Amino acid sequence: MKDQGRSKRKRTGGRRKPFRNKKRYQLGREPAATTVGEHRFQIIDSRGNNEKIRALSTDVAQVADGAEVTQADIEGVIDNPSNVNYARRNIITKGSIIDTSAGRARVTSRPGQDGQVNAVRIDEE
């Protein structure tokens, strides 16, 4: 989410003058919106000597079923509680329920921050 900064108007409607420009630590970026598809990644500089790997699209997930972890192919997004339209657009975020070759699973990682999809298998009701 982009940082819009302080409002230019006071509560009374009067104008408020900016006291400085934005700093680099106030930088905000557009969300990655990781989709289901061929592997595409983006490397982004982050604070300190660190990097973030954004998954722009991926079709592989690490699915945990108890103590066993298997690599499964993602077939689609069933439900996404963060936004109702994300399921239609096949956008993966943390908490979304995906359909994999190993069964249904809930995403526990943040693909737009980590660059990978980790999930926990859920029982089909």
Side-chain angles (χ1 to χ4, degrees):
M1 185 171 167
K2 284 192 171 180
D3 179 26
Q4 300 296 321
R6 198 173 64 160
S7 174
K8 292 186 181 211
R9 296 282 174 181
K10 298 180 192 175
R11 192 176 40 148
T12 58
R15 198 162 146 67
R16 193 179 289 193
K17 292 185 179 173
F19 71 100
R20 68 166 189 210
N21 292 331
K22 286 186 181 178
K23 301 291 182 181
R24 190 170 190 275
Y25 62 79
Q26 294 173 321
L27 175 71
R29 293 189 177 98
E30 296 295 328
T34 305
T35 57
V36 178
E38 186 182 335
H39 295 297
R40 280 184 27 237
F41 299 101
Q42 183 179 25
I43 296 174
I44 291 175
D45 285 342
S46 62
R47 194 167 171 115
N49 194 19
N50 301 315
E51 289 178 338
K52 285 185 181 181
I53 300 174
R54 291 234 162 125
L56 301 177
S57 66
T58 185
D59 58 357
V60 174
Q62 279 65 256
V63 179
D65 188 9
E68 188 177 326
V69 178
T70 58
Q71 189 165 333
D73 293 329
I74 300 173
E75 294 163 3
V77 178
I78 298 169
D79 183 35
N80 197 323
S82 61
N83 192 328
V84 290
N85 295 317
Y86 281 2
R88 276 192 307 179
R89 294 166 56 195
N90 272 345
I91 293 178
I92 305 169
T93 59
K94 181 176 177 175
S96 60
I97 297 171
I98 56 175
D99 192 20
T100 65
S101 56
R104 289 187 176 190
R106 175 175 279 113
V107 178
T108 58
S109 64
R110 300 174 69 191
Q113 310 276 336
D114 307 335
Q116 62 183 359
V117 178
N118 297 332
V120 176
R121 193 164 182 272
I122 56 175
D123 298 326
E124 284 131 25
E125 289 97 34

